[in-house]
Amino acid sequence: MTQHGYDSGRLNLPFTGITTFARSPYVEDWASIDADAAILGAPFDGGTQYRPGARFGPRAVREASTLFTFGHAGAYDHEDDVTYLGKDVGLVDIGDADIVHTDTLASHRNIESGVRAILEAGALPVVIGGDHSVNIPAINAFDNVSDIHILQIDAHLDFVDERHGVRYGHGNPMRRAAEKPYVSGLTQVGIRNVSSTAKEGYDAARGIGSDILSVRQARKLGARGVIERIPAGALVYVTLDIDAFCPSIAPGTGTPSHGGFLYYEVLEMLQALSQRNEVVGLDLVEVAPAYDPAGVTSILAAQVLMNTLGFIFHARMAGG
């Protein structure tokens, strides 16, 4: 029988104590990371084109994640008959990258340093943004890793090359990723409605082989059908923009777009991915709590991250 420690441990309710992601240990020294996965906050929103506020996303998602920390021995899912994120999975929170206000490049360098430290420790990097530009330094840090395929779940293509001299904003990350010799391909899912990327951006993305699917196209394929379009055996980095979800369940974001995914649609894609491919990195971006008065977007973000981490490590252990 699982030893939960309910009787012997502290009660440690979600609204008490210091807030780290999932109440995981805090590691201040990035040279001493010893874990299976490490959370890095990237509270930068200087790349935002419309409503700001995603700089407060990491703090809000961390606080929301405490809701899922009642158990002392992981979380049991009765549908899967699996206890996820038990004591055999080491999760730490290394705090936030240092953000230099008004300086995109310096802030991005600091985010990149955090992701590199996690990779050098042999852990899975999990970055909480911030706007989607924080994906640029995260992908920069993978230059010493074998080729990676990027799964982007998002309302927007984010394939703008340059606009008014801006190359590192939240509309540019997939274009910058596509320029990397170690990024082998892109699967872009959930793209819909009026986008910040013009037609030439879509043409350029398709020109480098990007697989672009709208929400309606993804629904026709089903979760597993979408994931089966990713090359078998590819190492996959996941970048999840919270505006991929319908704003009816995720209003707390700067650029909401109606017609988005519901919770289980994204969850099932991520579970199928974890079972089929090795996930080597993950970011979740664009949570802006000022537009989320009930906190439902932050809770959604935390729940998706917790479940995805559970899927990833359960699949690794089952395969190993």
Side-chain angles (χ1 to χ4, degrees):
M1 181 176 291
T2 304
Q3 297 300 312
H4 292 285
Y6 287 130
D7 295 327
S8 59
R10 293 182 60 191
L11 187 57
N12 210 18
L13 289 171
F15 54 85
T16 66
I18 305 300
T19 303
T20 59
F21 185 82
R23 307 298 286 267
S24 57
Y26 171 55
V27 176
E28 184 175 13
D29 180 3
W30 290 0
S32 63
I33 299 168
D34 182 12
D36 297 303
I39 308 298
L40 172 68
F44 176 81
D45 64 5
T48 302
Q49 298 176 84
Y50 184 44
R51 301 192 300 186
R55 67 182 63 184
F56 296 106
R59 183 172 293 181
V61 174
R62 283 186 173 108
E63 183 173 354
S65 74
T66 64
L67 174 61
F68 307 109
T69 59
F70 280 102
H72 294 261
Y76 177 69
D77 186 317
H78 76 94
E79 289 184 287
D80 295 343
D81 192 22
V82 170
T83 297
Y84 291 109
L85 296 180
K87 293 181 179 179
D88 50 353
V89 178
L91 179 64
V92 299
D93 191 323
I94 69 168
D96 293 339
D98 199 17
I99 301 305
V100 183
H101 63 289
T102 78
D103 194 331
T104 296
L105 296 182
S107 298
H108 280 191
R109 282 194 299 270
N110 292 337
I111 296 166
E112 180 181 338
S113 295
V115 178
R116 286 189 184 278
I118 296 170
L119 289 171
E120 288 168 4
L124 176 77
V126 181
V127 179
I128 306 175
D131 70 46
H132 213 156
S133 74
V134 306
N135 172 263
I136 298 173
I139 296 300
N140 287 348
F142 278 79
D143 55 356
N144 291 322
V145 179
S146 298
D147 288 353
I148 59 172
H149 187 96
I150 297 178
L151 171 61
Q152 175 198 10
I153 304 176
D154 198 333
H156 309 97
L157 196 69
D158 293 346
F159 211 83
V160 176
D161 182 17
E162 181 175 322
R163 187 174 291 156
H164 300 292
V166 176
R167 294 175 57 81
Y168 303 101
H170 74 168
N172 307 110
M174 294 302 101
R175 187 64 167 252
R176 299 287 81 84
E179 295 168 347
K180 303 297 185 185
Y182 50 89
V183 173
S184 59
L186 303 174
T187 298
Q188 301 177 268
V189 184
I191 314 304
R192 62 190 185 272
N193 298 338
V194 176
S195 175
S196 58
T197 302
K199 182 179 184 300
E200 56 265 27
Y202 282 81
D203 293 339
R206 291 191 177 100
I208 59 96
S210 177
D211 189 12
I212 303 171
L213 295 171
S214 70
V215 171
R216 289 183 290 186
Q217 290 168 329
R219 283 176 175 157
K220 287 180 180 179
L221 289 166
R224 193 162 296 278
V226 170
I227 298 307
E228 286 175 351
R229 297 168 73 99
I230 296 172
L235 304 177
V236 179
Y237 182 101
V238 178
T239 180
L240 174 56
D241 189 322
I242 204 70
D243 68 28
F245 291 97
C246 182
S248 63
I249 64 167
T253 188
T255 51
S257 180
H258 283 275
F261 288 118
L262 298 179
Y263 171 69
Y264 278 112
E265 294 176 302
V266 171
L267 194 72
E268 289 170 9
M269 280 191 281
L270 294 171
Q271 185 169 25
L273 176 69
S274 301
Q275 293 167 347
R276 184 175 181 273
N277 292 80
E278 182 181 351
V279 178
V280 296
L282 172 66
D283 66 57
L284 188 149
V285 299
E286 298 286 358
V287 173
Y291 314 115
D292 188 30
V296 295
T297 310
S298 299
I299 292 170
L300 171 66
Q303 188 166 346
V304 169
L305 284 175
M306 292 284 285
N307 277 296
T308 302
L309 288 169
F311 296 151
I312 290 170
F313 288 103
H314 177 70
R316 287 188 182 184
M317 291 169 187

